């Protein structure tokens, strides 16, 4: 500022101070005033160029500013704009960057973020939407096939230009790109921004419903169960307003899935019954089958054994008529697991034989994704039956196909099942490498729900091995997520998590902490009214009390 006011003369070798000018020096009260003063001393050509550059962003491109200046009411040609940029660069308000990102352009950077902010705020409010539209159009044209890389930036400009539908489309594209790069947190932000723009546009109801369903699944992966439930409830409301019964049923099923994870089996049953009713009205058979499976699971958890088995049987009967092999596999697997749970093993063999036949048929048909799922299900059922060699055979077969398909999530889930197979047969040392490989994959996918599952199982193996420090570190992250009640509001496996934390502390001779978590496990199990969970919680409490005297 002193140089611009002529108080200091900048020379090549030395600078001069004009003392007689010091009495006229203005001392701004703060940095904002300093920078505003610098803006005020710019020529009109320099000021408007800098203002339009500020609309582009702290990083901006000369060709974008060329176009904006040329389209102005008082246009500037490229030579004038280039002269203005050179002057601004000489004043050290902007700097040229070495790389541009776009061919045939030069990129510049505002020297200070606050300078960029003050310059932007000096742009007239009525002019901003026009400028943002120009910037968005320029970026979209320059991006070409790489538009997904810049989708979030372009979307923001269209949003500020009040082009809501276009902005929503680009935020969705940005969300999908973030998912592809396993940045689920940013994907969630972009889905929410897209939905916020569409809220007051009822003619885009189908689009909103698709985004709400995608958001629900994304939040589930992040173990943000409360928000996921809210997304599905919003989806249901939107579908009701639009009169879309099919998507109402899907929203109810999505809600039932979340409630199962939260161990809220009363609400789960209600949601599943609503999905069943609505799906039946529109003859949506596959959605109806999914609803019946949720209904059956909820009934069994509430002790309604015969009603649960009947619901699963009806789901299986319908699935056998549909050309949806994955759905049929899920029905057969649930039939097996429920009969194992209640100790009726004769039907298990029948359903197991059907599932083997399903696997053989899918192999002949060359349906690799469905075959992998069938083999994985066979592995899970054999694991539950204690037939560990058979379980290993089917899980390895599934793993081979998933690797061919490059399905990273399924690979991580199958590795977790291989770890459980080893641990349950008494080979916890062999299980740990499987869990660690699974954990590396699901961490890379940013799938918090799967991370919780794998860490819980890894903790169990480490407790078995007497590696109590490692076990406590492993389970600590799961406990931190569980205790964020506003985020999860319960998890079906929380009693087991707390038992393993109690056993880890017990192994470290920290009996008081062990007792605290054993009691917590018991309380959670009692709230769930689950005999299995309650039995395991009593086991943990007994271990602590036996050692603590």
């Amino acid at each position: 500022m002193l140089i611009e006011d002529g108080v200091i003369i900048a020379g090549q070798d030395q600078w001069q101070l004009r003392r007689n000018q010091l009495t006229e020096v203005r001392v701004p009260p703060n940095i904002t005033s300093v920078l505003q003063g610098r803006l005020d001393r710019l020529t009109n050509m320099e000021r408007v160029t800098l203002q339009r550059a500020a609309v582009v962003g702290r990083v901006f491109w000369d060709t974008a500013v060329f176009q904006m200046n040329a389209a102005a009411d008082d246009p500037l040609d490229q030579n004038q704009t280039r002269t203005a940029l050179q002057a601004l660069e000489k004043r050290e308000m902007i700097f040229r960057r070495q790389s541009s990102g776009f061919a045939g352009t030069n990129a510049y950077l505002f020297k200070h973020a606050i300078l960029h902010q003050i310059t932007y705020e000096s742009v007239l409010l009525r002019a901003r939407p026009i400028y943002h539209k120009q910037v968005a159009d320029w970026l979209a044209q320059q991006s070409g096939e790489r538009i997904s890389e810049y989708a979030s930036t372009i979307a923001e400009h269209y949003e500020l230009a009040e082009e809501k539908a276009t902005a929503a489309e680009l935020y969705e594209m940005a969300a999908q790109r973030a998912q592809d790069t396993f940045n689920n947190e940013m994907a969630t932000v972009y889905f929410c921004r897209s939905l916020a723009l569409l809220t007051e546009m009822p003619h885009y109801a189908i689009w909103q419903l698709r985004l709400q369903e995608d958001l629900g699944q994304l939040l589930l992966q992040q173990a943000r169960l409360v928000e996921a439930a809210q997304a599905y409830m919003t989806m249901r409301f939107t579908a009701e307003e639009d009169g879309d019964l099919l998507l109402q049923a899907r929203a109810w099923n999505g809600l039932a899935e979340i409630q199962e994870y939260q161990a809220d089996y009363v609400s789960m049953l209600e949601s599943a019954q609503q999905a069943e009713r609505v799906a039946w009205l529109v003859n949506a058979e596959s959605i109806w089958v999914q609803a019946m499976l949720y209904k059956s699971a909820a009934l069994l958890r509430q002790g309604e054994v015969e009603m649960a088995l009947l619901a699963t049987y009806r789901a299986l009967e319908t699935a056998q008529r549909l050309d949806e092999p994955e759905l049929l596999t899920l029905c057969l697997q649930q039939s097996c697991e429920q009969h194992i749970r209640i100790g009726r093993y004769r039907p298990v063999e029948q359903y197991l034989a059907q599932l083997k036949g399903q696997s053989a048929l899918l192999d002949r048909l060359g349906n690799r994704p469905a075959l992998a799922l069938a083999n994985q299900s066979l592995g899970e059922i054999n694991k539950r039956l204690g037939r560990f060699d058979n379980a290993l055979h089917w899980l390895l077969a599934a793993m081979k196909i998933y690797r061919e398909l490059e399905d990273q999530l399924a690979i991580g889930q199958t590795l977790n099942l291989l770890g459980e197979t080893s641990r349950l047969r008494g080979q916890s040392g062999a299980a740990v490498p499987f869990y660690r490989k699974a954990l590396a994959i699901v961490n890379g996918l940013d799938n918090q729900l799967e991370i919780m599952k794998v860490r819980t199982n890894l903790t169990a193996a480490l407790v078995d091995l007497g590696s109590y420090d490692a076990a406590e570190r492993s389970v600590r992250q799961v406990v931190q997520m569980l205790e964020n009640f506003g985020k999860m509001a319960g998890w079906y496996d929380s009693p087991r998590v707390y038992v393993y934390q109690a056993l880890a502390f017990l192994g470290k001779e920290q009996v008081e902490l062990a007792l605290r978590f054993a009691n917590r496990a018991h309380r959670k199990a009692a709230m769930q009214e689950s005999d299995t969970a309650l039995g395991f919680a009593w086991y943990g409490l007994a271990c602590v009390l036996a050692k603590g005297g």
Side-chain angles (χ1 to χ4, degrees), residues 121-172:
E121 288 173 356
S122 72
V123 178
L124 292 174
L125 290 174
R126 67 174 180 272
R128 291 181 194 178
I130 299 168
Y131 290 160
H132 280 294
K133 175 70 163 57
Q134 292 171 348
V135 175
D137 290 343
W138 181 87
L139 281 169
Q141 182 182 18
Q142 290 291 319
S143 302
E145 294 180 355
R146 297 164 54 205
I147 192 168
S148 64
E149 295 179 33
Y150 298 93
S152 62
T153 302
I154 301 171
E156 188 172 351
H157 283 292
Y158 276 124
E159 181 180 2
L160 293 168
E162 300 175 6
E163 299 272 344
K164 293 185 177 181
T166 307
E169 184 179 0
L170 283 155
Y171 276 132
E172 182 183 5

Side-chain angles (χ1 to χ4, degrees), residues 283-302:
N283 198 31
E285 290 187 306
S286 62
I287 296 174
W288 183 86
V289 168
Q290 291 166 3
M292 293 301 285
L293 291 177
Y294 286 128
K295 176 182 176 180
S296 172
L299 284 167
L300 191 63
R301 288 289 188 173
Q302 294 179 67

Side-chain angles (χ1 to χ4, degrees), residues 41-115:
R41 283 188 295 278
L42 296 176
T43 66
N44 182 66
M45 185 172 72
E46 293 167 354
R47 187 183 307 108
V48 296
T49 298
L50 193 65
Q51 287 175 324
R52 289 163 189 156
V55 174
V56 181
R58 188 179 176 194
V59 175
F60 64 93
W61 295 268
D62 57 358
T63 52
V65 182
F66 290 161
Q67 286 192 15
M68 295 171 76
N69 278 353
D73 291 337
D74 295 318
L76 300 176
D77 60 32
Q78 286 194 20
N79 287 333
Q80 289 174 305
T81 302
R82 194 174 288 111
T83 299
L85 290 173
Q86 288 170 351
L88 292 166
E89 192 174 5
K90 187 175 181 181
R91 291 177 184 271
E92 295 188 355
M93 300 178 83
I94 62 173
F95 295 104
R96 187 181 300 191
R97 303 185 82 188
Q98 290 184 344
S99 60
S100 166
F102 297 120
T105 68
N106 292 309
Y108 290 84
L109 171 73
F110 275 80
K111 183 176 182 179
H112 301 294
I114 192 170
L115 173 61

Side-chain angles (χ1 to χ4, degrees), residues 195-207:
L195 279 166
L197 291 168
L198 298 174
T199 299
E200 298 177 3
M201 300 184 190
H203 51 290
Y204 287 129
I206 296 296
W207 187 0

Side-chain angles (χ1 to χ4, degrees), residues 473-523:
R473 285 195 302 272
S474 177
V475 78
R476 189 188 306 154
Q477 295 182 32
V478 183
V479 170
Q480 287 171 351
M481 295 188 71
L482 285 181
E483 295 186 347
N484 187 343
F485 195 77
K487 181 176 181 178
M488 296 196 69
W491 191 40
Y492 72 98
D493 222 11
S494 58
R496 186 164 163 256
V497 171
Y498 288 127
V499 166
Y500 287 133
Q501 180 149 48
L503 295 177
F505 279 126
L506 188 63
K508 295 168 67 175
E509 305 293 334
Q510 296 177 329
V511 178
E512 187 176 338
L513 280 172
L515 184 59
R516 181 192 304 172
F517 284 102
N519 280 321
R520 193 172 297 175
H522 185 267
R523 286 196 302 273

